[in-house]
Amino acid sequence: MRYWLLKSEPGDFSIDDLAASENQSTCWDGVRNYQARNFIRNEMKKGDLAFFYHSSCAEPGITGIVEITREAYPDETAFDHNDKHFDPKSQRSDPRWYVVDVQLKHKLEKYLTLAKLRQHAGDSLSALQLLKRGNRLSVMPIAPDDWKFILTID
DNA sequence: GCCAACGTTGGC
DNA sequence: GCCAACGTTGGC
């Protein structure tokens, strides 16, 4: 079992949007970065857990935990002319982009801000990709030790 | 294969 | 809104 972090702009799709979804589930579509795609397509397994992270907002941070409930399948939004994630280079015969399904496990009791995470950038979380400068990856693995540590942060 | 131009991400 | 970082594109 592996751990992940998934970014979403709350103005686009927030954890409350997920909570309000049918089965508290959604397909994680719109990822258009190859490194992130490779994680989704090749490495995410059913049962893996992921932090739900709110990015590009007033107070970025980890807001909840989701479970991967279905492994990779083609991203339909890439085929849809009317979707903002439409990609003419993705063909049904050779899909370029993939999604997984995720289901809400729970929101964190206390919103864990990026600022709070940064307090540990020098020691316990020194390897956390999220805290590296210039980090723009929207899907990234979290080491088990980092996952455990993050859950202990008050 | 190089690299400049451009677009996007995301924190602040 | 600004700007640094980074990925992608396209001419050569």
Side-chain angles (χ1 to χ4, degrees):
Chain A
M1 214 255 284
R2 295 188 66 182
Y3 298 103
W4 305 94
L5 180 139
L6 299 170
K7 291 182 187 172
S8 184
E9 299 185 22
D12 246 17
F13 188 81
S14 72
I15 194 144
D16 290 325
D17 292 326
L18 178 60
S21 301
E22 191 180 352
N23 289 330
Q24 300 194 324
S25 292
T26 192
C27 71
W28 202 263
D29 59 22
V31 173
R32 297 291 181 269
N33 167 282
Y34 288 102
Q35 205 182 344
R37 188 280 310 268
N38 290 344
F39 285 135
I40 287 175
R41 189 188 59 184
N42 307 341
E43 302 193 35
M44 279 190 175
K45 298 297 174 196
K46 194 173 170 176
D48 285 0
L49 297 178
F51 287 129
F52 193 120
Y53 179 87
H54 280 172
S55 66
S56 294
C57 54
E59 182 105 281
I62 295 172
T63 180
I65 294 177
V66 300
E67 180 177 346
I68 310 304
T69 52
R70 181 178 170 190
E71 290 174 20
Y73 59 101
D75 186 341
E76 284 294 321
T77 65
F79 308 133
D80 180 357
H81 281 261
N82 299 317
D83 195 282
K84 77 170 187 177
H85 296 296
F86 173 64
D87 180 358
K89 287 179 244 169
S90 184
Q91 303 296 320
R92 280 186 189 282
S93 55
D94 184 22
R96 179 173 296 205
W97 307 113
Y98 285 79
V99 300
V100 289
D101 285 355
V102 305
Q103 181 176 43
L104 181 65
K105 293 284 282 184
H106 55 83
K107 287 174 71 166
L108 294 192
E109 285 176 33
K110 205 166 146 194
Y111 186 58
L112 183 48
T113 65
L114 177 61
K116 201 87 175 172
L117 288 165
R118 278 204 196 289
Q119 290 176 6
H120 305 278
D123 41 272
S124 303
L125 297 179
S126 59
L128 195 68
Q129 250 180 299
L130 182 72
L131 303 180
K132 303 291 182 197
R133 66 200 288 278
N135 161 65
R136 290 171 46 193
L137 201 54
S138 66
V139 176
M140 72 186 77
I142 303 286
D145 286 349
D146 288 347
W147 178 275
K148 283 178 211 139
F149 179 79
I150 288 167
L151 290 175
T152 69
I153 298 173
D154 182 28

